[in-house]
């Protein structure tokens, strides 16, 4: 029995270790100040993150891109509670490494009404500790098997993607964060609303 337990523990450790190798992230913690970074609007105009989040309490949604079905589904679900989020005094914004010219595809494909911004040089996802680099093997697999060219979507060759995440920002500080390296699992809208009601 002890030997079986030890083998299971080793197996779980290997899985976690492999995941940590791929998603070696260290997200901003609750209480951290928001970094000053640049983002692009749908019109390719540059704007600072500070100017967006300092105007009012904000729910920041980091997503991989309009090409990601899980991201589109999540943005659609968050759109369903957008009015409730705003009634609680918050705005809800999306951030992706898709280039500015691709931003409208997010809302079109997701049926989303959330304002989204392009993290052109992956500066913001790095500042939030969410970035991970797609290695050459995975990049080529995406491109050949899934017909997904990350360089076309981002307009850059940095090969960086964010771990999907939600941050709640108030008074320039992180009040709550949800970060999950398993990209298919997202924070439920009902859970987000419950969190906002307590802050």
């Amino acid at each position: 029995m002890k030997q079986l337990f030890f083998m299971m523990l080793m197996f779980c450790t290997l899985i976690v270790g492999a995941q940590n190798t791929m998603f070696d992230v260290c997200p901003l913690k609750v209480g951290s100040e928001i970094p000053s970074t640049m983002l692009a609007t749908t019109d390719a105009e540059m704007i600072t993150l500070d100017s967006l989040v300092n105007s009012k309490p904000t729910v920041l949604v980091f997503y991989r891109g309009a090409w990601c079905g899980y991201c589109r589904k999540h943005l659609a679900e968050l759109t369903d509670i957008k009015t409730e989020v705003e009634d609680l005094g918050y705005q809800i914004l999306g951030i992706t490494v898709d280039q500015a010219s691709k931003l409208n595809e997010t809302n079109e494909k997701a049926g989303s009404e959330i304002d989204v911004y392009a993290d052109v040089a992956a500066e913001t996802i790095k500042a939030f500790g969410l970035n991970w680099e797609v290695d050459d093997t995975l990049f080529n697999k995406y491109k050949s098997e899934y017909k997904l060219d990350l360089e076309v979507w981002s307009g850059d060759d940095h090969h960086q993607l964010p771990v999907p995440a939600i941050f709640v920002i108030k008074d320039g500080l992180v009040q709550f964060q949800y970060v999950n390296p398993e990209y298919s699992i997202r924070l439920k809208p009902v859970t987000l609303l419950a969190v906002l009601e307590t802050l």
Side-chain angles (χ1 to χ4, degrees):
M1 188 70 174
K2 286 183 180 178
Q3 186 177 8
L4 178 61
F5 175 76
F6 178 73
M7 288 174 65
M8 289 178 63
L9 182 62
M10 288 295 291
F11 179 69
C12 291
T13 302
L14 286 171
I15 291 175
V16 172
Q19 191 177 58
N20 286 342
T21 299
M22 189 172 182
F23 300 108
D24 186 18
V25 295
C26 186
L28 285 184
K29 296 177 174 53
V30 171
S32 299
E33 291 186 6
I34 296 309
S36 180
T37 59
M38 299 298 295
L39 298 167
T41 67
T42 52
D43 297 321
E45 294 180 1
M46 300 307 292
I47 189 170
T48 64
L49 177 62
D50 318 50
S51 65
L52 290 172
V53 302
N54 288 342
S55 61
K56 69 187 305 185
T58 304
V59 175
L60 276 185
V61 183
F62 289 88
Y63 67 100
R64 301 193 303 166
W67 51 266
C68 170
Y70 293 105
C71 299
R72 295 195 304 267
K73 181 174 182 285
H74 193 218
L75 288 171
E77 291 172 347
L78 293 174
T79 294
D80 290 341
I81 63 163
K82 184 172 179 281
T83 300
E84 292 169 86
V85 169
E86 292 171 345
D87 287 346
L88 289 168
Y90 292 83
Q91 62 180 343
I92 183 165
L93 309 174
I95 296 178
T96 178
V97 290
D98 284 354
Q99 58 182 304
S101 62
K102 298 284 190 183
L103 290 177
N104 285 327
E105 287 191 46
T106 295
N107 287 344
E108 289 168 6
K109 291 183 176 182
S112 169
E113 298 173 3
I114 294 171
D115 290 335
V116 292
Y117 296 86
D119 186 11
V120 188
E123 176 189 8
T124 304
I125 64 170
K126 288 176 183 175
F128 274 78
L130 298 172
N131 67 300
W132 64 279
E133 185 172 354
V134 177
D135 62 28
D136 290 343
T137 301
L138 186 56
F139 174 80
N140 290 325
K141 181 177 181 179
Y142 279 168
K143 193 171 181 179
S144 62
E145 292 185 25
Y146 305 118
K147 310 305 178 192
L148 167 61
D149 190 333
L150 293 177
E151 292 181 1
V152 169
W153 280 95
S154 69
D156 205 310
D157 62 359
H158 55 60
H159 297 182
Q160 301 284 318
L161 286 178
V163 171
I166 285 185
F167 284 78
V168 177
I169 315 297
K170 206 177 201 180
D171 301 323
L173 300 175
V174 176
Q175 305 292 329
F176 169 84
Q177 53 108 301
Y178 176 86
V179 181
N180 194 335
E182 176 44 69
Y183 61 83
S184 65
I185 301 174
R186 307 298 173 95
L187 185 68
K188 297 292 185 186
V190 65
T191 305
L192 175 60
L193 286 175
V195 167
L196 297 181
E197 288 170 355
T198 66
L199 295 177

